[in-house]
Amino acid sequence: MARRLLLAVFSLFLTLFLVTPAAGQGGVTSTISGVVTDNTGAVVPGASVVLVHKATGVSQESATNSDGTFAFPSMSPGNYTVTVSLTGFRTVVIENVVVTSGSPANVRATLEVGGLTEQVTVSSTSEIVQT
């Protein structure tokens, strides 16, 4: 529980730190940040995080750090889709993440272990041997 609180405080601090310079420049951008955990609450480092601005289709990609956190500074205001994925886990898609000028968006994603599917196809033909 203390670890979750520490991560939340760190994410908030990181968000505020990254937004302050943008606010001083007229507040035309903001930050999308967050934390990725698994279904046990443990942080997930190395997860791929992709943002897509719904109006423009422009995407950006990052990865979670060792604390399971990520941040996209200087994001244009608008509506975003956030997709989080990692091998062995189900992909999480979070729709309608709204960013407004000078107001950061904080995202929490929980990855669940995905069903691993594997298909092996073996085909063989036998040759006729003449003796």
Side-chain angles (χ1 to χ4, degrees), residues 10-64:
F10 175 77
S11 294
L12 179 62
F13 176 77
L14 180 64
T15 301
L16 293 175
F17 177 77
L18 293 174
V19 171
T20 302
Q25 298 172 358
V28 295
T29 62
S30 193
T31 301
I32 297 175
S33 62
V35 62
V36 178
T37 59
D38 64 14
N39 55 354
T40 67
V43 296
V44 179
S48 170
V49 182
V50 178
L51 295 181
V52 177
H53 190 275
K54 289 181 128 180
T56 64
V58 174
S59 67
Q60 293 187 34
E61 185 171 355
S62 185
T64 57

Side-chain angles (χ1 to χ4, degrees), residues 51-85:
L51 295 181
V52 177
H53 190 275
K54 289 181 128 180
T56 64
V58 174
S59 67
Q60 293 187 34
E61 185 171 355
S62 185
T64 57
N65 63 19
S66 61
D67 294 331
T69 60
F70 63 90
F72 292 89
S74 303
M75 301 305 297
S76 299
N79 195 338
Y80 289 84
T81 298
V82 179
T83 304
V84 182
S85 60

Side-chain angles (χ1 to χ4, degrees), residues 124-131:
S124 172
T125 58
S126 58
E127 295 183 27
I128 298 175
V129 178
Q130 293 182 1
T131 57

